[in-house]
Amino acid sequence: MNGTGICWTKSCLLASLLRANGIPSGISYQYLTRADDNADEGYIIHALNTVYIGELDRWIRLDARGNKENVHAEFSLNEEVLAFPVRSELGEIDYRDNNLDLDDRLVRILNECTSIQKISADFVM
């Protein structure tokens, strides 16, 4: 184990850990550009988590992706602070969905790719 992973695997792990502790959790998606400021390099599907907060009787989203320079996500009950704000002017989409498991197409891609550089998910969910 090398201590790394992509958002797809991190969101599955977090959902599993939350569920194992009795906390309802799911997966949500964003369709984002690969490049910072244009769509020339195509798009990628970003996975994040949904968590049900019983005391508030609502679902919130959070990002298990991890922070780095220029990428900052926080857990918040009041407002979403996700790693990537969606820029609709670039064709990005925030699905604001709540899925039980990782999409089958993403699972297939993970099983078929031998490295992170070979992962491509240029499809709209």
Side-chain angles (χ1 to χ4, degrees):
M1 185 166 156
N2 61 11
T4 64
I6 62 172
C7 61
W8 302 349
T9 55
K10 290 177 181 182
S11 61
C12 286
L13 177 60
L14 180 57
S16 297
L17 291 170
L18 290 166
R19 291 173 186 164
N21 286 284
I23 301 168
S25 180
I27 310 287
S28 185
Y29 297 105
Q30 295 175 320
Y31 182 71
L32 304 172
T33 59
R34 288 181 174 271
D36 287 336
D37 57 359
N38 66 63
D40 293 345
E41 294 182 36
Y43 295 85
I44 190 75
I45 299 294
H46 177 59
L48 49 139
N49 290 91
T50 56
V51 178
Y52 183 74
I53 308 296
E55 293 81 7
L56 299 176
D57 191 29
R58 68 181 173 102
W59 289 86
I60 65 166
R61 293 191 307 165
L62 55 96
D63 204 321
R65 177 206 183 287
N67 293 330
K68 65 178 188 177
E69 187 176 336
N70 299 324
V71 177
H72 184 75
E74 287 183 25
F75 175 81
S76 174
L77 294 174
N78 302 315
E79 64 180 326
E80 286 189 339
V81 185
L82 303 177
F84 304 108
V86 170
R87 300 162 301 173
S88 56
E89 68 275 10
L90 295 176
E92 296 180 339
I93 302 168
D94 191 341
Y95 292 101
R96 300 195 166 277
D97 50 357
N98 189 1
N99 302 282
L100 183 59
D101 281 314
L102 197 61
D103 186 277
D104 289 340
R105 294 170 289 184
L106 301 181
V107 173
R108 188 187 77 248
I109 291 167
L110 286 172
N111 286 328
E112 292 174 357
C113 291
T114 56
S115 73
I116 188 71
Q117 290 78 17
K118 294 182 180 180
I119 288 181
S120 175
D122 285 330
F123 59 86
V124 178
M125 303 285 289

